[in-house]
Amino acid sequence: MAHLGEDRFSAYSCGHPAHVGDQIHPAAIRALRSASMRVPLSRPHGWDDMIRGSSPQANFVITLDETTLPAQPNWPGQPDSALWAFADIADLGKADEIDRAALQMLYALRRRLELLTSLPLHGADRAAIRSDVRDLAHMQ
């Protein structure tokens, strides 16, 4: 999102605090570099960092792992949410399989985010935007 809509959006990534690694997965770094996209400089962090009072308030929360839904916190400001479920590719086995899956996931996410950044968000009906963002989950 930061790559595609940097002038219109602020994007933050977080995950279940008990399952956040110490570093970005090497396959994700290779996929970003192969697509000429900037690799984030910050370390991965849990969603507990995003619910503190000093954290930026989100307009949307997009979840990629449906197994985390029951454990997610009440997000400050009650942002709209969507589930764009992807399989966990980190445990696929061989490094080349993981790399291929990471690149496929990157391009699938990129296409959805391109469409998200093209939505007319200002002045639009909030329910319609929420529906559009959720519908993007069904893109191949």
Side-chain angles (χ1 to χ4, degrees):
M1 181 61 102
H3 179 77
L4 297 171
E6 62 185 289
D7 59 332
R8 292 181 53 211
F9 296 91
S10 296
Y12 303 93
S13 176
C14 63
H16 191 296
H19 302 285
V20 174
D22 294 333
Q23 59 187 7
I24 298 171
H25 196 284
I29 293 172
R30 289 189 291 273
L32 288 167
R33 286 186 176 148
S34 74
S36 299
M37 295 173 74
R38 183 179 52 82
V39 175
L41 299 176
S42 62
R43 65 166 181 77
H45 54 275
W47 56 51
D48 51 345
D49 294 338
M50 298 302 296
I51 60 172
R52 293 191 178 117
S54 61
S55 296
Q57 186 172 327
N59 293 317
F60 298 101
V61 172
I62 298 173
T63 302
L64 303 180
D65 180 358
E66 67 184 311
T67 65
T68 67
L69 288 174
Q72 286 188 16
N74 291 324
W75 299 101
Q78 298 178 330
D80 291 324
S81 62
L83 173 62
W84 295 358
F86 283 89
D88 183 2
I89 61 170
D91 295 328
L92 285 178
K94 298 180 182 179
D96 62 330
E97 292 175 11
I98 294 172
D99 283 349
R100 187 172 26 263
L103 195 55
Q104 289 173 341
M105 179 186 280
L106 173 68
Y107 284 115
L109 279 170
R110 182 183 179 135
R111 181 66 183 134
R112 292 177 191 185
L113 292 171
E114 286 171 343
L115 293 168
L116 173 61
T117 60
S118 71
L119 292 174
L121 300 176
H122 296 289
D125 176 48
R126 183 173 172 175
I129 295 295
R130 179 178 37 248
S131 179
D132 288 343
V133 172
R134 289 178 178 169
D135 287 347
L136 291 174
H138 306 291
M139 296 219 33
Q140 293 296 329

